[in-house]
Amino acid sequence: MNYVALKMLFGDRAKYLMLLCGLTFAVMLIVQQGSIFWGLMMWSQASITNLNVPIWVTDPGIAQVDEVKPLADTAVDRVRSLDGVEWAVPLYKGLLRARLATGEYHQITLTGLESATLIGRPAEVQEGRFEDILQPDAVVLDQWAVERMGGPTVVRVGTIFELNDKLARVVAIAKTQKSFTNIPVVYTTYEGAMRYVPRERRILSYVLAKHKDGVPVEDVVQRIRTQTGLGAFTQEDFGFKTYMWVLVNTGIGINFGTTILLGFIVGMAIAGQTFYLFTIENLRQFGALKAMGASSFTLARMILLQAFTVGLTGYGVGIGLATVFGFLTAQGGNLPFAETWQLLLLVLVALLAICLVSASVSIIKLARLEPAIVFR
Amino acid sequence: MNDDSQPAAVRARGIVKSFGTGDTQITVLKGIDLDIYLGELLLLVGESGGGKTTLLSAIAGILDINEGNIDVLGVPLSALPANKRTRFRGQTMGFIYQQFNLLPALTAAENVAVPLLIQNIGRSEALRRARGMLNRVGLPDRTEFLPKNLSGGQQQRVAIARALVNEPRLLICDEPTAALDGPNGQKIMELLREVGRSPDRCVIVVTHDSRIFHFGDRMASLTDGRITNIERIQQEGTA
């Protein structure tokens, strides 16, 4: 009877296409919005993932990575002295204004890396050599900084600009993940950063650390917390903390959640209504099948097959369209778009739920259908 | 030729069927006793609203009765649980409807194959048998036509082929000629009479159409929920 079910489904072309469009639209909307949302969440952690170190040590009351609460300089040595710590280095992270030769000002995030190891440096360099950062007045920009500060005609390797009235010379362009705030990132050494930033009693932003091989990172994090009183997080936990902060303190979660929910509801409404209509219009035919000996179970199986066939087709087409959208708009990392398998799995579950609910309404109708309808 | 000495294919006793409750309750069948024999074509006639279709539905086991017993081919239908009754119906009964009730998306052959598919017979075998049956009802060249491309008479022939394809012993027909013109109606009834004359089958036809009365072996009149008359029909060429 599967054959009959599919012929019935494809035979009513108008309704089949309407069902397909409704489900495709729902899937595309959910995947597209979900991918942008997840892309934004990844951007919100860019300051953490771009540095890619296992342990972040900071003030225990910190809310998220961009909210710097400076530490005493001694924090580095206190962390280094703990068992299970392979290494610990200082990091400066703060906002400054850059003044270009054109007279334009741009707010930038200054990132000061420890000069001996350059731990936290970006993995990829587009132009120049990152190691040249050790030269006097040398800074490295990320590609987003070049874009935000006027493009490669204005800012490139060799460009000189001012940071807090002091000279900074671009020696390389690094490639990084775009950040949520999209503020240009300027890398220098920790010592270089001390020269640029106004003098304060506490300058140290973070201590970056690594656990020794064979020692669980969570154990080291816990040890840092208990023995120094500082806040310590694994890279993943700090990323999650930042992600939760963005969710709670911005409208992003509600905005995207509402759109995704709307996609789900619209998809369910269209699919449910069309599918029910499809069943109602074929009620006499279903009654005839029942009279001919088809059990309610057989009819339910037919309805489920129809629902899941159109659902999975809509799933494929919807994902295809969303992927094409992402491919066209997110090229070069300009739009946050992260289509993960977890999201696709979640959408599949949501879609199957839509199909199941839509089919259930029809199945209940058919279960109550008296085959005697065919004689009326 | 059939006679009352043939075994009863359907034996109905004291059938009562009501719809609604309380003041709005209507009793449609008021104690029906009826035997239908193998090898006969029984016409069930009577005024509209007299209970013909309700009785047909009860005999088919697709409508529960309030009182009485119906035995079909020796099986007490009303005592069977719903799923067994459905299976029994699929194995022993065929249906022909006034409005044909063909599945519009299926070809003639696929429509005819449906009862076999319900019985879990493989698609290729079901289609082979369906084409053979369409050949028997005079539609060998219409097997791949959709119902919308067939005339009313051809659609009813497809419906008859569908009703016969699993070789049912009881053929239940509800106004089979109502949607057809005179000549097509006559052809359909000739087919049904041929089926009814098979010694191990019987045909029940609900009809208003007096032009087809002569195709029946017996005629039962149903008025206001009661059988008021059962008469044997004089066949052409018999005394």
Side-chain angles (χ1 to χ4, degrees), chain A residues 3 7 285 290-291 370, chain B residues 53 63 89 95 103 110 123:
Chain A
Y3 175 73
K7 287 277 289 200
Q285 277 75 28
K290 234 176 169 178
E370 279 194 16
Chain B
T53 299
L63 191 67
R89 197 166 53 233
F95 295 89
L103 296 170
E110 288 166 344
R123 186 150 60 97

Side-chain angles (χ1 to χ4, degrees), chain A residues 375, chain B residues 34 36 41-59 96-98 156 171-179 189 192 203-210 212-213 218-220 222:
Chain A
F375 289 137
Chain B
L34 180 65
I36 306 167
L41 190 155
L42 179 92
L43 297 172
L44 199 55
V45 299
E47 61 196 25
S48 294
K52 301 186 297 295
T53 299
T54 305
L55 179 59
L56 205 64
S57 302
I59 290 171
I96 298 170
Y97 315 101
Q98 183 178 340
Q156 194 60 301
L171 193 58
I172 294 176
C173 314
D174 183 35
E175 307 265 12
T177 59
M189 286 310 296
L192 293 180
V203 180
I204 310 169
V205 176
V206 163
T207 187
H208 281 107
D209 188 353
S210 59
I212 64 166
F213 283 177
R218 286 192 303 151
M219 187 186 318
L222 194 62

Side-chain angles (χ1 to χ4, degrees), chain B residues 58-152:
Chain B
I59 290 171
I62 55 179
L63 191 67
D64 290 327
I65 53 176
N66 301 107
E67 288 176 37
N69 295 303
I70 301 175
D71 288 0
V72 175
L73 301 165
V75 175
L77 207 57
S78 36
L80 282 181
N83 58 337
K84 285 191 177 167
R85 202 189 310 165
T86 301
R87 201 177 312 136
F88 177 75
R89 197 166 53 233
Q91 289 164 348
T92 58
M93 298 181 199
F95 295 89
I96 298 170
Y97 315 101
Q98 183 178 340
Q99 296 301 328
F100 321 136
N101 288 326
L102 298 175
L103 296 170
L106 269 56
T107 64
E110 288 166 344
N111 263 295
V112 174
V114 165
L116 300 174
L117 296 172
I118 290 173
Q119 303 299 323
N120 290 323
I121 291 169
R123 186 150 60 97
S124 55
E125 169 63 12
L127 283 172
R128 190 188 64 75
R129 284 166 61 177
R131 289 192 187 102
M133 190 52 71
L134 281 170
N135 196 26
R136 269 186 62 191
V137 299
L139 292 173
D141 53 348
R142 295 287 188 274
T143 56
E144 303 313 313
F145 279 49
L146 290 173
K148 66 179 179 186
N149 297 324
L150 297 171
S151 68

